[in-house]
Amino acid sequence: MSTFWCETAVIAGGGDDDTGLSEVATGVRVETIDGRISAMESGAQSQPGDTKLMGVVFPAAANAHSHAFHRILRGRTHDGRGDFWVWREQMYRSASELTPEKYEKLAAAVFAEMVVTGFSSVAEFHYVHHQPGGAAYPEPHAMELALARAAMSAGIRLTLLDTLYLSGGIGTSLSPGQARFGDTDVEAWLDRLRSLRTAIAQEFPPEKVAVGAALHSVRAVPEEALKVVAKQLPRDIPLHIHLSEQPAENEACLEAYGTTPAGLLERHGLLSPRLSAVHSTHLTQQDISMLGAASTTVVMCPSTEADLADGIGPARELSDAGATIALGTDQHAVIDPWIEMRTLEHGERLGSGQRGRFSPRELLRAATEGAARSMATPVASSALRVGAICDLMVVDPASTRTAGSRPLQLAFSATASDVTQVVIAGELIASYGVHTRLGAPGDLLTAALKEFS
């Protein structure tokens, strides 16, 4: 058992608000057993042995969309003009340099950065399966196991989304730069996915590392393969897909299949509560209605979508239609749950000319419960409550950025620099920007990135 005394905390309460029940309390004493909150008391004094969490304590965030190796590109892809497709060629060059050993080192550093900024879980959208050229590694799951070991060393919960990637575009073969992403066909991918689930279950605890599935996009997965996935993919795992990130994807899909990407998924019964549609930036009104009616999760990655000039997705409309909004850091232009929260709202304001499109509580929910809904590891809460997993992040309310902010409005002033402590499963795992097991993420990243051009 471990115990924490929170100076101030966002807890489950009895007052009505727009997304659930939460309130701010002081002197909150939290007891944990097996990583879950077993008892909680407000207005309490700290006791000997308590770990003191000074500041405002929130549930830790969940990162619903990550490509760990994209961290290589931060600060290296901003010269000159271009668009998503130009950036993609630079990304392929980085992917070509990955080995299992280099990826484990890099991913551990990236996951450590996530942890110290306030994330306790991540969905890793993983498609670099094989050696350059497409041949399997002698250990067929070498890259996947490297990511799982990296997550374990960083102490972050991992949902490893093994990704189906069969074509370079609709009706186009994989390019040489994409060859290591692909499998022979959808049946070979399903076989490899089954084998991976067994390998992960044998080596890692299920509450720490679990396997999900992903379809890279309708560009990379032909319709015939979608039919097979709809019939044969196990029902007990989450399914993710990049959806309508670029207008060119929509145009190609309409030309080939006579419908939008969302319409193509609906045609084959793939829209459901277990589906997480990532980006969903360029949707029709019918797409929005279909995604909402199916109770899908829509994963917005606002900092990446801004960095890549993707556009502003219809997050408010999707939420009102019935979709759950989640947040991810995708290509890691920044790794900061607070920036993702407010960039989502700022995008809505810029697109609509209105303020207050998402309330602070809704933003917190998107960064916690909404994101965790898309994962296979335990579900997060948007407030501290008995029975919840004890994943916490502490924010300094008196920094240069946050001084004067009301606790529930810190989403509009705080950054990752204001996260002072992070607790995962009842263990203090980060303190003032330093990972308690691995050290300073900046040092880890510097060492890992030296191995890439």
Side-chain angles (χ1 to χ4, degrees), residues 34-353:
D34 295 330
R36 289 185 177 270
I37 298 175
S38 56
M40 195 166 68
E41 179 186 3
S42 301
Q45 299 295 316
S46 64
Q47 297 183 21
D50 290 351
T51 298
K52 290 186 178 182
L53 305 179
M54 305 302 293
V56 182
V57 180
F58 293 85
N63 190 345
H65 189 66
S66 164
H67 301 290
F69 81 90
H70 289 193
R71 177 62 180 80
I72 298 167
L73 302 173
R74 185 192 297 176
R76 300 183 179 190
T77 61
H78 304 287
D79 287 342
R81 300 198 177 198
D83 57 14
F84 168 85
W85 306 102
V86 173
W87 171 89
R88 190 178 73 159
E89 291 306 313
Q90 297 170 310
M91 179 267 287
Y92 286 168
R93 286 197 291 273
S94 295
S96 71
E97 299 180 22
L98 292 170
T99 66
E101 296 75 21
K102 289 166 68 173
Y103 205 4
E104 182 173 348
K105 183 176 180 179
L106 173 65
V110 175
F111 292 153
E113 182 182 2
M114 289 183 196
V115 167
V116 303
T117 62
F119 290 106
S120 64
S121 58
V122 60
E124 179 66 24
F125 199 109
H126 168 66
Y127 52 81
V128 188
H129 304 301
H130 310 301
Q131 299 182 66
Y137 284 98
E139 161 49 70
H141 305 304
M143 294 296 269
E144 292 75 26
L145 293 171
L147 286 167
R149 289 191 298 269
M152 288 294 293
S153 67
I156 198 168
R157 305 176 198 279
L158 174 67
T159 297
L160 183 58
L161 298 168
D162 195 83
T163 302
L164 175 61
Y165 202 132
L166 296 177
S167 59
I170 297 175
T172 304
S173 300
L174 293 172
S175 69
Q178 297 167 323
R180 68 186 311 189
F181 307 162
D183 291 290
T184 307
D185 54 32
V186 64
E187 297 287 357
W189 173 71
L190 285 165
D191 287 343
R192 192 171 56 73
L193 178 65
R194 282 189 285 269
S195 174
L196 176 63
R197 294 185 76 189
T198 298
I200 291 291
Q202 288 174 344
E203 190 166 339
F204 302 97
E207 70 276 10
K208 294 293 186 180
V209 181
V211 175
L215 313 174
H216 181 271
S217 59
V218 299
R219 291 182 286 110
V221 182
E223 183 173 20
E224 290 304 310
L226 292 177
K227 295 177 183 178
V228 176
V229 171
K231 292 178 181 178
Q232 297 188 28
L233 186 70
R235 298 293 175 184
D236 61 338
I237 60 176
L239 177 64
H240 291 225
I241 186 171
H242 294 125
L243 189 77
S244 292
E245 183 176 3
Q246 290 289 321
E249 175 186 323
N250 292 350
E251 293 163 7
C253 190
L254 282 165
E255 182 177 352
Y257 303 123
T259 187
T260 63
L264 187 63
L265 297 182
E266 196 275 337
R267 178 184 294 173
H268 298 293
L270 288 167
L271 295 186
S272 74
R274 77 156 168 174
L275 181 73
S276 292
V278 182
H279 302 305
S280 301
T281 309
H282 302 281
L283 302 177
T284 67
Q285 288 301 313
Q286 185 178 9
D287 292 340
I288 293 169
S289 296
M290 286 190 294
L291 290 165
S295 299
T296 60
T297 297
V298 174
V299 182
M300 299 292 193
C301 305
S303 66
T304 288
E305 288 145 10
D307 181 69
L308 299 182
D310 284 346
I312 300 169
R316 182 72 266 170
E317 291 179 80
L318 283 160
S319 179
D320 291 343
T324 296
I325 303 301
L327 292 172
T329 63
D330 193 0
Q331 57 121 348
H332 315 309
V334 296
I335 294 179
D336 188 327
W338 300 98
I339 285 180
E340 299 298 343
M341 282 186 256
R342 69 170 161 274
T343 304
L344 178 71
E345 168 63 14
H346 286 171
E348 281 286 324
R349 293 182 184 190
L350 290 169
S352 69

Side-chain angles (χ1 to χ4, degrees), residues 2-6 30-32 35-37 51-54 57-61 114-121 154-157 208 384 389-395 419-432 434 436-437:
S2 56
T3 58
F4 301 89
W5 184 82
C6 310
V30 175
E31 296 181 0
T32 72
R36 289 185 177 270
I37 298 175
T51 298
K52 290 186 178 182
L53 305 179
M54 305 302 293
V57 180
F58 293 85
M114 289 183 196
V115 167
V116 303
T117 62
F119 290 106
S120 64
S121 58
I156 198 168
R157 305 176 198 279
K208 294 293 186 180
L384 278 65
I389 294 169
C390 188
D391 288 4
L392 314 172
M393 65 171 159
V394 187
V395 175
V419 175
T420 58
Q421 293 162 294
V422 178
V423 173
I424 300 180
E427 176 189 352
L428 182 66
I429 201 163
S431 183
Y432 294 90
V434 177
T436 57
R437 301 177 189 172

